Each structure stands twice: as C-alpha cells, then as structure tokens.
Amino acid sequence: MTTPQRLHSLDNLRASMMWLGIVVHVAAIHLTGESPLVWRDTATSPLADLLLAFIHVFRMPVFFIVAGFFVAMLVQRRGMAGMLRHRFQRIALPFLLLWPPILVLTVTMVLLFVHRMARGSWGLDPGLIPPMDGKPRLNTLHLWFVYLLWWFAVATALASWLAQRLPPAWASAVPRLMRQLGARWWGFVPLTLPLVLAGAGYRNGILAPVGSLLPPPAEWLHNGMFFLFGWALFAG
C-alpha cells in the first residue's frame, strides 16, 4: 500500500501562521488603543495597532481553511470514523490533558505579573485583575482554536450523517455553491456577507474570541465559514 504523500507546503503555511502569532501577541502589548490584555507596555506605537489588525484579518482564517481541508482529506483516506479517531487523538485528547494545567499556570503567571506591576513585588491578589467585561474566567485561553476544531470535526460527522439521508443533489449543494462562488471574481461578496454579520457586534468589526466553553453564535459562524471553505477546496 502506498503511503499518502504529505503536503509539506501546508505544513509550512501553518508554521508561518504560528510564527505570526508571536508578532501579534507582542504587538498587543504596545497598542495605543484598547488592548484585550490586562498588562501593557508604556512604549506604544500606532504601528502596533496597524500590525495587529492586518495580521489578525487573515491569520486565523488561514488556520481554519487549512483545518477544513485536512478534515476533508482525512475523511477521504480513513472514512468518517477514522477521521474522528484521528482528530480525537491529535486534538481532543491533548486538549483534555493539557488545558487544566495550562489554565492554572496561566492564571498564576498573570496574577504574579499584575502584582509586580501594581505593587513592585511578587504576590497573588485576584483583586488586582480588572473586570472581565462579560468574558468567562474559566475559559479555553489560547486553546480556543483547538477546542473549536474538535467540535467542527464532530459537526462534520453529524452533517455527513444527515447528508446520507438527503437527496444527493441537496447533500452536495453547499460545497458546490462554495466552490462556484470561490471560482468567480464577484464571489467574495456573498461569501463575506456572513462574516460581516458575525463581526457586526464587535469593536471595529474584528471578531475577538472570548474563549468560552460555549462560544457565541458569531464565533461558530465566522470560523465555520472558513472551515467549510477549506473542506470545499479539497472536495473540489
């Protein structure tokens, strides 16, 4: 049996997006505008605001497009059950094992840092943390992306189960429509309308994940559109 060839170009693409994540999080410390972080650097620059907005526009969408592409590829190679087993071993299981210690460590480090900034000494005082503005204190942190990917894989299996019970023309309608719109120069207009709707309730229209264990509908819609587009790219 021939081993399927690995797509090293997509591995490199994901690695590049990961490196840009370092740039984004450093820029967030130097913003002149509102920052999602509880710590700031006194040296700020408008360039940091521009850099953060520019990279944020495409970085996570690329991740979700690639994720959708790979899930479709896994379904083709291993079947739906094989895809779920693979995604559980690579995504869900590491999340379940690593999220609790990462959460504890992150909260501890934030408390230490804020205490050092506010009082000049090391300590743990939860009262120094500013209000979360509705954001859950128990959240997925930077693992929100991994968390969503697992549920998108589960949603893919559920959609496949439903598609098998629909007429073939209906079952293939959404991927076919995505491919057709993606192939036309004007297709970006209807494809971006759901993204506009998802970002309408966010500052400057930039969707910022809250890391909730039950993400709001806007996050499912926004990230799901890119995931579905990645699936359609492979299916095409």
Side-chain angles (χ1 to χ4, degrees):
M1 180 177 178
T2 304
T3 302
Q5 184 179 3
R6 189 173 183 89
L7 300 176
H8 296 288
S9 58
L10 293 184
D11 288 335
N12 290 332
L13 178 60
R14 289 189 295 187
S16 299
M17 296 301 104
M18 287 296 294
W19 280 110
L20 284 178
I22 298 176
V23 178
V24 164
H25 290 90
V26 171
I29 301 175
H30 300 278
L31 296 178
T32 59
E34 182 181 349
S35 173
L37 303 176
V38 297
W39 54 86
R40 298 289 295 273
D41 195 290
T42 55
T44 61
S45 170
L47 180 60
D49 297 71
L50 179 62
L51 193 61
L52 178 65
F54 174 71
I55 295 176
H56 184 75
V57 166
F58 66 85
R59 193 176 79 91
M60 294 313 300
V62 167
F63 273 125
F64 279 104
I65 290 172
V66 172
F69 184 93
F70 277 124
V71 164
M73 183 175 68
L74 285 170
V75 171
Q76 184 191 72
R77 292 178 177 179
R78 302 171 182 241
M80 195 61 67
M83 180 275 290
L84 284 176
R85 285 194 298 269
H86 183 276
R87 295 289 84 183
F88 180 81
Q89 294 170 356
R90 296 292 186 90
I91 295 178
L93 185 57
F95 175 85
L96 292 173
L97 294 176
L98 296 177
W99 174 57
I102 289 177
L103 178 64
V104 172
L105 181 60
T106 300
V107 171
T108 302
M109 295 302 294
V110 168
L111 288 173
L112 287 170
F113 185 89
V114 172
H115 196 283
R116 181 72 175 179
M117 293 293 291
R119 299 178 179 171
S121 61
W122 298 110
L124 300 174
D125 184 358
L128 294 176
I129 300 295
M132 301 296 288
D133 295 329
K135 293 184 179 181
R137 289 185 178 271
L138 184 63
N139 61 62
T140 56
L141 305 171
H142 286 90
L143 297 179
W144 68 270
F145 170 71
V146 176
Y147 182 76
L148 273 185
L149 282 189
W150 164 245
W151 289 114
F152 280 145
V154 173
T156 298
L158 292 176
S160 175
W161 177 85
L162 178 61
Q164 292 172 6
R165 287 153 179 77
L166 295 175
W170 291 15
S172 61
V174 173
R176 185 170 64 250
L177 177 62
M178 295 283 282
R179 292 194 300 270
Q180 291 175 349
L181 291 175
R184 288 164 172 75
W185 69 266
W186 49 265
F188 74 94
V189 176
L191 284 175
T192 53
L193 285 178
L195 303 179
V196 173
L197 178 64
Y202 292 83
R203 186 171 180 266
N204 297 326
I206 299 178
L207 187 142
V210 296
S212 173
L213 292 174
L214 186 60
E219 291 188 31
W220 293 106
L221 176 60
H222 182 273
N223 298 311
M225 283 289 295
F226 292 110
F227 182 88
L228 183 59
F229 190 76
W231 171 283
L233 284 178
F234 182 86

